[in-house]
Amino acid sequence: EALAHLLYGVGGGGGFVLLSGEIGTGKTTVCRLLLEQIPVDCNVAYIFNPKLTVIELLQSICEEFHIAVPLHDAAATAKGYLDPLNEFLLAAHAAGRNNVLIIDEAQNLSAEVLEQLRLLTNLETGERKLLQIVLIGQSELRAMLAKPELEQLAQRVIARYHLDALTEAETAHYIQHRMEVAGLARPLPFERRALHRIHRLARGVPRRINLLCDRALLGAFASGSASVNRPIVDKAAAEVFGSPAADAASRHPAVHVAVGLALGALLFAAAGRLGDDDRAVPTVSKAVSVKPTGPTAPVPDLARGSAGAIPALARDIDHAWRELGQAWKLASGEAEPCKAFARQQVYCFSRKLSLPLIRQLGRPGILTLVGDAGAPAYALLSGLGADRATLRVDGNEFSVTLTSLAARWDGSFATLWRAPPGYGASPAVGQVGATLDWVAARLADATGAAQPGARAVLDVSLRRKVRTFQVAQGLPADGEPGPMTFMQLNRVAGVDEPRLRADP
């Protein structure tokens, strides 16, 4: 999927493509595959050391594209490099060639260099942008692009993908595959408990799995064992990672849930398994009150565990909707909020979603939390970081760990979205109208394609474009323009809407 996103972005007609992931999850492997499969009509520049000034960056780009820069123009000015670069890109476009700039370790780019990269995507003809930029970096890159000062750049990301760590089942399949490639023709020489232990200690990161399995196999050979058991894995982990790291992974599974295993899907699974495995995630204090005392009811501060500064969770969903409406500058009065918002062309949306998808949508929303007695409570998700979330109730914000949140969150997420012109209901196949014209125009903007010259029809062609956009945005790909698709199209179009903070 990651490779497909990059290949789609390379042919997308300009803008940014983003590939992120934790250390050791395979970003460089995917990048190497991209370079092997990149179309023959593409000129490629690859920069692997992005700790550069703006001038050094432009110089490196010209060198990678083999652009001759006149010596008298190569002074310490951006113009001395931008003019030859622009001429090169125009000549390549005239010859029917695309130009792709790939920057590895992009989390090390400075804000000034990122802004220069954004300006480079302004180089365009009347038909398309002249430069496609692929940013590959660690998870901090996503947080960087979520900052308000980089909103203009974030809007130009036409495809993005985050490489998660492997689940336990995927870890076992990965080890099986590596052994078979190496020539294994008999049952896997890893006991089941050893595989479970490898996953926990390696945190699902392929590079760590490789190191740990290699040392464990060596240990089994040295001890004359026909298979790798848990004690051998533990000894190998102490040698490879060091005892403190191995012990920490064992004692604090919250760390590998929140950091190593890519949060979302495993948080759902962990929350559902609390009764089976009390080590999966720490539970929220049993002192949480579930007795409503009006629109809100008090609970202890989950982040600090203090008796003071007690926040409150909304017990009335309409109360939560009204607070979310305030962020959108929407008034509902005493009326049912969602009906009042709809009269202002802003609609309520509610669905079970994973944390990665909520992060992708990048907008605040209402989380449904479950108390001890099963009574629902509600809080506004206003910020989402690598291992903590910021919740807001009645204007008061408090921070909780994602593992604590998982113990009480039922997976429901509710938010608002602004409808396009002429919207009345989700478009049907064969339909025409202002909404579909808007969809077609925004899809063209997202890919740098020419604007459509005729009325849009929801036919096979347009559905294919919608599906491609959905894949690039990490959405369920059904080819039907629905609320989540409109959300992301609004984001591409730069519609002014509240954004979910990327908290540290």
Side-chain angles (χ1 to χ4, degrees):
E1 287 186 33
L3 180 60
H5 277 70
L6 293 183
L7 288 172
Y8 160 75
V10 166
F16 290 89
V17 179
L18 175 63
L19 174 65
S20 60
E22 299 295 338
I23 297 172
T25 51
K27 300 183 298 297
T28 301
T29 299
V30 174
C31 180
R32 186 166 59 247
L33 288 171
L34 172 66
L35 292 172
E36 291 174 357
Q37 298 186 29
I38 208 159
V40 294
D41 61 349
C42 283
N43 300 317
V44 179
Y46 178 75
I47 294 177
F48 58 88
N49 177 22
K51 288 188 175 182
L52 305 169
T53 65
V54 169
I55 299 299
E56 291 170 340
L57 171 75
L58 294 174
Q59 180 183 11
S60 297
I61 293 173
C62 288
E63 289 174 353
E64 286 292 313
F65 278 132
H66 304 292
I67 300 172
V69 178
L71 292 178
H72 65 276
D73 288 336
T77 63
K79 182 174 170 44
Y81 294 102
L82 283 173
D83 288 347
L85 176 59
N86 195 28
E87 291 177 9
F88 169 81
L89 296 176
L90 285 170
H93 174 70
R97 300 186 62 82
N98 295 329
N99 303 286
V100 180
L101 170 62
I102 301 175
I103 301 181
D104 206 351
E105 301 295 338
Q107 77 278 355
N108 293 320
L109 292 169
S110 67
E112 184 181 14
V113 170
L114 282 170
E115 175 61 14
Q116 180 60 64
L117 289 173
R118 183 187 70 82
L119 294 175
L120 287 180
T121 62
N122 287 338
L123 301 175
E124 59 186 357
T125 67
E127 301 174 351
R128 59 180 294 155
K129 295 183 182 300
L130 299 179
L131 184 62
Q132 179 76 68
I133 300 176
V134 179
L135 299 179
I136 300 174
Q138 297 172 25
S139 296
E140 306 93 274
L141 180 60
R142 293 194 302 173
M144 288 169 55
L145 297 186
K147 293 179 179 178
E149 59 267 28
L150 294 176
E151 175 69 15
Q152 285 185 300
L153 189 153
Q155 289 176 6
R156 300 190 183 192
V157 176
I158 65 171
R160 64 181 75 204
Y161 193 86
H162 183 73
L163 276 172
D164 288 338
L166 304 179
T167 65
E168 185 169 345
E170 290 169 341
T171 295
H173 292 157
Y174 175 70
I175 295 172
Q176 178 79 36
H177 171 73
R178 293 289 300 243
M179 294 294 291
E180 290 176 351
V181 169
L184 180 70
R186 62 182 182 88
L188 190 66
F190 286 88
E191 296 180 2
R192 182 179 61 83
R193 294 180 70 243
L195 290 172
H196 174 74
R197 188 66 169 161
I198 289 169
H199 175 71
R200 291 178 68 85
L201 295 175
R203 304 196 297 267
V205 177
R207 184 181 298 164
R208 291 173 63 90
I209 295 170
N210 294 345
L211 292 170
L212 183 53
C213 287
D214 183 69
R215 187 61 60 90
L217 287 168
L218 180 62
F221 173 78
S223 63
S225 175
S227 62
V228 175
N229 55 29
R230 176 168 173 162
I232 291 176
V233 171
D234 285 339
K235 184 177 180 181
E239 296 173 356
V240 175
F241 305 138
S243 296
D247 291 344
S250 176
R251 289 196 310 267
H252 299 290
V255 174
H256 76 255
V257 171
V259 180
L261 297 184
L263 306 177
L266 289 181
L267 287 177
F268 285 142
R273 291 197 306 268
L274 286 177
D276 300 326
D277 182 1
D278 60 3
R279 297 171 301 168
V281 290
T283 59
V284 181
S285 169
K286 296 298 183 182
V288 174
S289 170
V290 295
K291 295 180 180 180
T293 58
T296 61
V299 297
D301 188 327
L302 304 183
R304 296 185 293 273
S306 61
I310 297 178
L313 297 180
R315 297 298 181 183
D316 179 4
I317 184 63
D318 284 352
H319 184 87
W321 278 119
R322 288 190 178 95
E323 180 156 21
L324 180 58
Q326 291 174 6
W328 285 70
K329 298 180 174 58
L330 299 172
S332 62
E334 297 301 318
E336 183 180 336
C338 288
K339 289 184 178 179
F341 299 156
R343 289 192 289 269
Q344 302 168 69
Q345 284 299 97
V346 176
Y347 291 85
C348 295
F349 170 85
S350 181
R351 187 173 298 177
K352 297 264 188 179
L353 295 180
S354 66
L355 277 180
L357 186 50
I358 292 173
R359 195 189 303 275
Q360 186 79 353
L361 293 175
R363 58 187 55 222
I366 301 167
L367 301 183
T368 302
L369 306 175
V370 181
D372 290 328
Y378 308 96
L380 183 65
L381 178 68
S382 58
L384 186 59
D387 57 3
R388 304 190 74 85
T390 301
L391 305 181
R392 178 189 298 172
V393 180
D394 288 336
N396 298 315
E397 290 191 337
F398 57 102
S399 175
V400 299
T401 64
L402 293 180
T403 48
S404 296
L405 179 64
R408 294 298 182 190
W409 179 40
D410 73 352
S412 298
F413 179 74
T415 189
L416 295 171
W417 62 280
R418 192 174 303 279
Y423 180 83
S426 294
V429 175
Q431 187 175 331
V432 299
T435 296
L436 289 173
D437 291 340
W438 182 88
V439 169
R442 297 292 76 75
L443 289 173
D445 287 341
T447 60
Q451 290 292 318
R455 296 299 302 271
V457 181
L458 189 55
D459 53 11
V460 173
S461 176
L462 183 56
R463 291 185 66 191
R464 184 183 300 114
K465 293 177 182 177
V466 170
R467 185 179 295 107
T468 301
F469 176 80
Q470 290 168 334
V471 170
Q473 293 293 320
L475 304 178
D478 57 9
E480 306 293 338
M484 287 194 291
T485 303
F486 290 135
M487 292 177 201
Q488 296 304 81
L489 286 172
N490 277 336
R491 185 168 185 173
V492 169
V495 174
D496 184 18
E497 296 176 333
R499 296 285 181 236
L500 184 66
R501 298 199 310 268
D503 289 348

